[in-house]
Amino acid sequence: QHESYVSWLLSVSLVSVYSLEFVQMWPQLLINHRLRTVDMLPLTAFLYRFLTTFIDDLYALVVPMPLIERIGTLRDDVVFVVLCYQWLKFPRRTQAAEDRGAAEGAEPAADTEKDKPKDEDVKKKE
């Protein structure tokens, strides 16, 4: 199958690089799964990942290339599909939701009336 040790070494190193890049993409998915939210991934990064995945797929369809490189483009698709699933399934915590939780008594805000210094205390210090 391989003509020399050099071609075998190049093939193994290419497969290793594709595998390690696939493993490198998983921490974001694990963070999202662990926290049950997609707040750690901004919308701009999500759209950037969508565009790069789409462009990679078009490139893989149009340009003739070896099978291993076509499979390398599928790794992006697998991660992107899981990311889309998380984006739809997990809630996004917004500032309004956090404010609602504080208003319902879950956690009082730090700048309430009881935390502010009174005028009498300020006059005593002067």
Side-chain angles (χ1 to χ4, degrees):
Q1 177 178 345
H2 299 287
E3 295 178 9
S4 66
Y5 288 112
V6 175
S7 66
W8 177 81
L9 183 64
L10 284 174
S11 175
V12 168
S13 61
L14 182 66
V15 170
S16 300
V17 166
Y18 284 150
S19 301
L20 291 175
E21 286 180 359
F22 183 72
V23 169
Q24 184 183 7
M25 289 190 255
W26 277 98
Q28 181 65 49
L29 299 176
L30 295 176
I31 289 170
N32 292 348
H33 178 72
R34 171 83 179 183
L35 297 176
R36 299 279 187 220
T37 184
V38 290
D39 284 338
M40 300 299 166
L41 182 68
L43 184 61
T44 54
F46 183 73
L47 291 176
Y48 174 74
R49 178 141 318 168
F50 170 74
L51 287 176
T52 56
T53 303
F54 182 71
I55 291 170
D56 285 346
D57 291 343
L58 285 178
Y59 183 78
L61 289 174
V62 173
V63 176
M65 61 179 63
L67 179 65
I68 191 70
E69 292 185 17
R70 289 183 193 264
I71 292 173
T73 60
L74 289 177
R75 76 182 190 285
D76 294 338
D77 294 335
V78 170
V79 171
F80 184 71
V81 165
V82 173
L83 194 59
C84 286
Y85 173 74
Q86 287 180 344
W87 193 266
L88 293 174
K89 182 181 178 196
F90 297 146
R92 286 168 291 286
R93 296 181 191 146
T94 60
Q95 187 65 33
E98 290 174 6
D99 291 343
R100 255 195 327 270
E104 292 172 358
E107 197 172 298
D111 58 338
T112 58
E113 289 296 322
K114 66 179 181 180
D115 292 337
K116 291 182 182 177
K118 296 180 181 175
D119 290 334
E120 299 163 359
D121 295 336
V122 174
K123 289 179 184 176
K124 287 180 185 176
K125 289 182 181 179
E126 293 175 356

